[in-house]
Amino acid sequence: MFNLFKNLTEASNPSEDTQCLQKADDSLPRMKKAVALICYNNFDYFSRVLQSILDQKINDKPFSELYDLYIFQDGLQDRHLSTSKEEHAKVTDLANQTVGPDHFFLQTQNLGIALHYDFAERFLFEKNDYDYAVFCEHDMILGEKYLHELNKLADKFKDDERIGMISMHTSNYLAPLEAQKINSQKYVGMAHSWGFGIFRSTWQKMRPMVEEYLQLIGDRPYHQRYHRKVIEWLNSKGFKGVATSQDSIKACALVNLKKIRVSLFPNFGLYIGAIGMHFTQVNYDAKKYAHSILYNEELPPCPDLDLASYKALLARAEHDLLLKEGDPVVGEVSVTQSANGTRVAPLNMASYKIMAEDVASAYKIFLDRLPENMGVIEPRIGVSSQQLFTSFLLSEEFLNRRECWPAVIKAAQTIVEMNKKS
């Protein structure tokens, strides 16, 4: 495999004569582009995703004629030393064999997702001045034409200040092929930040808010970050704080810049991450990712993004992320509207309702996982405590966790005894 990639990388570094011919043929200089594969310890996922990247072609030519491939592997967490050391080492060996030491970076200690992404981004955009980069994670397989179509979007929007991120994996992954074909020229908002492309200029503009976030979470293990502290910080900036992940923070930063995260309707990616930081087999199955329908036909030239579509996509993102009048926030405050804009005022505790942080905590307590996305949190914000707890206690996922039944019974008995005394 290393020889295969060696041939591909040689093709991406043409001779001076060839470069001169290319410049003569191109009306504008080509963007300097890279693909970054972010990985950790799952060899099965990693090997499948890596192969899907190596198989990519753009205009029937190896993707490496336009993109440099880098692999970034985070160091093993202490909690995984006894269970994943061998898997982690296998990922390291394959990555090194495939791209070589100049394009593979292994962290000696675990940085966590946020700081690991930061390392990769700084390497590409600051140290090596790439104009544009595609970030892939080790649990989403790229469909046959993923980079081909994403590259068309990148060339289309390279000078469009309205665009924050682009991808070719959408929430329409279960849509029939006929529906995907009919809507192939329709722009939709990005769902998860999987296999996304971003321009250096956009990354630079996001930096102030992202750097604040990184300072806030510090060097504490990422999975143990202080969710409440992050949500309080987001609330202070006028955001709902429905999630505290690094990709959610970037989504907020882009909304603040009036930039949208956009895809075309058809789905070109297959998410395989049933087991990971935010997913379990149960909720992976519930989302039916294994039944994703991949669109493998070439799309027509990218359509223009008209003003009405841009405004609609931005409004949708703002609705999802920005605080509105009456929205509950962390820290015993609520949002009201004044003549000068949004302000924060003390909350009447008698009217207290469930907040985003409470929903996230309930997921950890009852289901032993984090919520999969913002969409599952928002409907529960503002409900009563009783409504929230009942929805979890009666959920199929919780009822399937038989190990929790003794604790539930004991809690019920305690409540009954307390009611008798009162």
Side-chain angles (χ1 to χ4, degrees):
M1 189 174 290
F2 173 71
N3 289 333
L4 168 64
F5 190 74
K6 183 174 183 292
N7 292 334
L8 296 182
T9 53
E10 285 173 353
S12 68
N13 295 292
S15 67
E16 292 184 11
D17 290 341
T18 306
Q19 289 176 358
C20 290
L21 287 173
Q22 288 175 343
K23 289 182 178 179
D25 291 339
D26 296 342
S27 58
L28 292 173
R30 286 182 175 177
M31 286 189 288
K32 186 179 179 183
K33 302 173 180 178
V35 173
L37 175 52
I38 312 294
C39 61
Y40 181 48
N41 68 337
N42 191 310
F43 181 77
D44 177 52
Y45 291 176
F46 172 73
S47 59
R48 293 164 65 190
V49 172
L50 175 59
Q51 191 60 56
S52 77
I53 294 175
L54 294 176
D55 289 341
Q56 295 293 304
K57 293 185 182 296
I58 299 175
N59 298 323
D60 296 321
K61 297 179 181 179
F63 80 97
S64 57
E65 292 194 9
L66 294 177
Y67 289 81
D68 298 324
L69 174 62
Y70 294 89
I71 301 177
F72 300 89
Q73 185 185 13
D74 203 359
L76 201 58
Q77 297 179 29
D78 290 343
R79 60 180 178 154
H80 295 150
L81 283 174
S82 61
T83 59
S84 296
K85 195 170 184 179
E86 184 177 341
E87 283 278 297
H88 190 267
K90 287 170 65 178
V91 172
T92 302
D93 290 343
L94 180 56
N96 226 340
Q97 291 170 18
T98 304
V99 299
D102 292 338
H103 284 240
F104 172 59
F105 296 89
L106 170 64
Q107 301 299 324
T108 56
Q109 295 182 331
N110 182 263
L111 296 179
I113 295 173
L115 290 174
H116 194 213
Y117 255 97
D118 186 61
F119 175 88
E121 291 164 355
R122 286 181 176 275
F123 175 85
L124 296 176
F125 291 132
E126 287 186 343
K127 187 173 181 180
N128 287 281
D129 295 325
Y130 281 95
D131 301 301
Y132 168 78
V134 177
F135 290 88
C136 302
E137 296 187 17
H138 71 180
D139 50 10
M140 193 188 81
I141 292 174
L142 303 191
E144 180 183 340
K145 296 188 182 298
Y146 196 100
L147 282 186
H148 176 77
E149 296 300 337
L150 188 62
N151 188 66
K152 286 158 64 175
L153 280 184
D155 289 343
K156 175 77 174 179
F157 292 129
K158 63 180 185 296
D159 298 316
D160 194 328
E161 288 296 324
R162 303 173 299 173
I163 304 301
M165 290 180 181
I166 54 177
S167 85
M168 292 306 299
H169 176 269
T170 76
S171 57
N172 304 306
Y173 57 89
L174 295 177
L177 286 176
E178 186 62 27
Q180 294 192 41
K181 188 169 187 175
I182 292 172
N183 294 284
S184 64
Q185 297 292 278
K186 178 182 178 181
Y187 285 111
V188 296
M190 273 177 55
H192 291 283
S193 295
W194 296 331
F196 70 92
I198 185 170
F199 299 100
R200 181 179 61 201
S201 57
T202 297
W203 177 81
Q204 290 170 331
K205 290 173 183 175
M206 291 194 311
R207 289 305 296 167
M209 184 170 176
V210 173
E211 285 178 348
E212 280 189 52
Y213 167 73
L214 294 176
Q215 291 173 6
L216 194 64
I217 64 173
D219 56 4
R220 185 180 178 84
Y222 183 69
H223 64 282
Q224 295 178 352
R225 62 193 180 279
Y226 292 116
H227 297 281
R228 185 180 183 89
K229 184 187 295 186
V230 176
I231 293 173
E232 286 177 342
W233 169 74
L234 284 169
N235 288 167
S236 73
K237 289 183 171 295
F239 295 101
K240 290 181 179 178
V242 291
T244 64
S245 61
Q246 58 89 30
D247 52 357
S248 297
I249 302 306
K250 289 170 182 172
C252 291
L254 290 173
V255 164
N256 198 45
L257 294 167
K258 303 295 183 183
K259 291 178 178 286
I260 58 174
R261 300 161 62 247
V262 68
S263 305
L264 282 169
F265 187 99
N267 170 56
F268 286 83
L270 172 62
Y271 181 63
I272 59 173
I275 306 298
M277 175 67 76
H278 299 119
F279 276 86
T280 64
Q281 188 68 55
V282 172
N283 63 312
Y284 177 85
D285 291 342
K287 291 292 183 180
K288 299 182 179 179
Y289 283 117
H291 301 285
S292 296
I293 299 174
L294 286 174
Y295 194 88
N296 286 323
E297 295 183 32
E298 181 167 355
L299 299 179
C302 300
D304 292 334
L305 176 65
D306 61 68
L307 183 58
S309 297
Y310 161 71
K311 287 184 174 180
L313 290 170
L314 179 61
R316 179 71 251 181
E318 290 177 338
H319 174 270
D320 290 342
L321 297 173
L322 294 181
L323 284 170
K324 300 182 293 293
E325 183 176 356
D327 283 346
V329 298
V330 175
E332 299 184 7
V333 294
S334 66
V335 175
T336 59
Q337 196 71 24
S338 68
N340 296 324
T342 301
R343 65 186 179 84
V344 174
L347 175 69
N348 179 354
M349 292 308 293
S351 64
Y352 176 81
K353 297 291 184 181
I354 289 297
M355 297 181 291
E357 185 195 34
D358 301 318
V359 181
S361 296
Y363 266 87
K364 290 296 292 181
I365 293 169
F366 292 104
L367 307 183
D368 193 29
R369 66 176 176 86
L370 293 173
E372 54 266 45
N373 54 48
M374 300 175 189
V376 299
I377 293 180
E378 190 172 54
R380 289 182 163 111
I381 295 175
V383 304
S384 68
S385 301
Q386 181 177 349
Q387 288 174 310
L388 178 72
F389 297 150
T390 300
S391 71
F392 277 95
L393 286 169
L394 298 181
S395 70
E396 183 178 356
E397 185 175 349
F398 176 77
L399 292 175
N400 284 333
R401 298 186 65 209
R402 298 194 174 201
E403 73 275 12
C404 296
W405 291 1
V408 173
I409 293 171
K410 184 176 181 180
Q413 291 172 337
T414 302
I415 293 171
V416 169
E417 292 300 320
M418 290 174 63
N419 288 336
K420 284 181 180 178
K421 292 178 181 178
S422 60

